[in-house]
Amino acid sequence: MSGKKPPTGGGVPAGAFGWATVHEFGDKDSGKPKCVCLSGDVLYTGSGTDGVKRWSAATGGNDILLPASLFSDPVHAITVVGDNVWVCTGNNANAGTIVVYDINTKALKTKGFAAHKGEVTCMAPGPGGNYVITGGVDFQVKLWTPDGSPLMTSNHHNKQVDCILVTPSKAGGNTDSGGVVWTGSTDGTVYCWSDDDGRGKADVSKGKSISIPGNKQVKSMAYLDGHVWVGCDGGQVCVISVATSKVVKTLKPHGETVDALAAVGNQMWSGSRDKVKELEAARAAAEARATDLEAQLAAARRERDAADAAAAATA
């Protein structure tokens, strides 16, 4: 977090960056975090030196939730679902080990279990917060109950799964009781499926596989205004319509891998090893919506022409 005053405008709400002028942390405070997750207004970080720390967005204060002494290996992935914090540790032969703790009591709820064959690369709560989604180097995506019981396994990717995103099924919606699950992989695809009731019982086989232009590896995803933004290697960013599951715009704001994306106001911010850049999200989203509308109008014209042809044939 930087202590420098950030730029404003572009639809960013007043005070949205107020924290940036108040809180600033170095390695001594943060412990060189390997992973982060946000739950409400609390940020959780995981590292090899401090275990799992909990940070208040309001005050900047922090405490050690789970000390590093609890883990034999560094923490490299975390997520929070309900009162459960999922912590992935492991190195070499133990890679992919997950333990579940109670956030309130800090008590161990589920002993270490091997979630994937190899490292767990990403974790996120499902729609409604009723289950957990994990992805790994074994190409698999798995769904679990909050206490770690398996629900299902999917093999819709053929390379490492690097990111997971849950979005509303339409612009202006929410994920309180259902939504769409998106997974991104180094195989150059994004896969999505609908989970309307948020129970994790959706038929993943009926989802859609979306090819990224240039077969770029997918490294990050974020949601904004009915669209999923996808960060890739080579500095590429693609915009996918949630309504059509199609790529509607491709940008190249960076020269190196886009490791992080975050929506603020009507802007999308992208982080790369070369620099951080504010993408013109409002304009890009408007263009994407126009592309969606054109596609819908074209489909309607085709249906009308087909109906006219059928009517002429029977006349």
Side-chain angles (χ1 to χ4, degrees), residues 95-120:
T97 299
I98 287 178
V99 288
V100 182
Y101 287 86
D102 186 289
I103 287 180
N104 300 311
T105 66
K106 304 182 183 180
L108 178 66
K109 297 184 72 172
T110 304
K111 294 182 179 180
F113 62 95
H116 288 262
K117 296 177 181 178
E119 185 177 349
V120 176

Side-chain angles (χ1 to χ4, degrees), residues 212-213 216-217 219-220 230-238 250-259 261 270-275 277 279:
I212 297 301
K216 298 294 185 180
Q217 298 180 7
K219 294 297 184 179
S220 55
V230 181
C232 309
D233 66 340
Q236 179 172 288
V237 173
C238 297
T250 301
L251 312 168
K252 196 174 186 303
H254 295 282
E256 297 186 27
T257 300
V258 181
D259 292 309
L261 291 165
S270 59
S272 173
R273 295 162 208 184
D274 55 4
K275 53 190 170 182
K277 180 168 287 189
L279 301 177

Side-chain angles (χ1 to χ4, degrees), residues 143 152-156 191-194 200-209:
L143 275 58
M152 61 158 290
T153 298
S154 178
N155 297 284
H156 51 261
Y191 194 87
C192 66
W193 70 91
S194 295
K201 301 295 185 179
D203 188 349
V204 177
S205 65
K206 294 182 179 179
K208 297 180 181 179
S209 181

Side-chain angles (χ1 to χ4, degrees), residues 94-263:
N94 295 322
T97 299
I98 287 178
V99 288
V100 182
Y101 287 86
D102 186 289
I103 287 180
N104 300 311
T105 66
K106 304 182 183 180
L108 178 66
K109 297 184 72 172
T110 304
K111 294 182 179 180
F113 62 95
H116 288 262
K117 296 177 181 178
E119 185 177 349
V120 176
T121 51
C122 48
M123 298 194 292
N130 296 319
Y131 60 95
V132 176
I133 312 163
T134 63
V137 296
D138 56 2
F139 313 167
Q140 293 184 330
V141 173
K142 296 187 177 184
L143 275 58
W144 312 81
T145 63
D147 62 0
S149 298
L151 290 174
M152 61 158 290
T153 298
S154 178
N155 297 284
H156 51 261
H157 288 295
N158 57 41
K159 286 187 179 179
Q160 175 174 313
V161 181
D162 270 345
C163 47
I164 298 166
L165 178 68
V166 174
T167 73
S169 57
K170 60 182 179 180
N174 59 59
T175 60
D176 292 345
S177 59
V180 182
V181 179
W182 305 74
T183 60
S185 169
T186 57
D187 64 6
T189 69
V190 170
Y191 194 87
C192 66
W193 70 91
S194 295
D195 183 359
D196 296 331
D197 60 9
R199 295 187 176 185
K201 301 295 185 179
D203 188 349
V204 177
S205 65
K206 294 182 179 179
K208 297 180 181 179
S209 181
I210 305 161
S211 297
I212 297 301
N215 197 37
K216 298 294 185 180
Q217 298 180 7
V218 177
K219 294 297 184 179
S220 55
M221 295 188 293
Y223 174 78
L224 176 63
D225 193 24
H227 295 83
V228 171
W229 293 62
V230 181
C232 309
D233 66 340
Q236 179 172 288
V237 173
C238 297
V239 183
I240 300 174
S241 165
V242 172
T244 64
S245 303
K246 294 182 179 179
V247 177
V248 294
K249 191 172 184 65
T250 301
L251 312 168
K252 196 174 186 303
H254 295 282
E256 297 186 27
T257 300
V258 181
D259 292 309
L261 291 165

Side-chain angles (χ1 to χ4, degrees), residues 21-93:
T21 64
V22 177
H23 311 312
E24 185 171 358
F25 308 103
D27 291 348
K28 183 178 179 181
D29 301 302
S30 60
K32 296 183 178 180
K34 167 74 173 178
C35 53
V36 299
C37 78
L38 184 66
S39 179
D41 61 354
V42 179
L43 182 73
Y44 297 83
T45 61
S47 73
T49 56
D50 287 342
V52 177
K53 296 187 78 170
R54 177 171 48 188
W55 305 73
S56 167
T59 67
N62 68 84
D63 69 309
I64 294 179
L65 178 67
L66 302 170
S69 58
L70 291 174
F71 313 110
S72 58
D73 296 298
V75 175
H76 58 248
I78 53 175
T79 196
V80 173
V81 55
D83 292 330
N84 301 307
V85 55
W86 280 47
V87 183
C88 181
T89 66
N91 192 14
N92 299 325

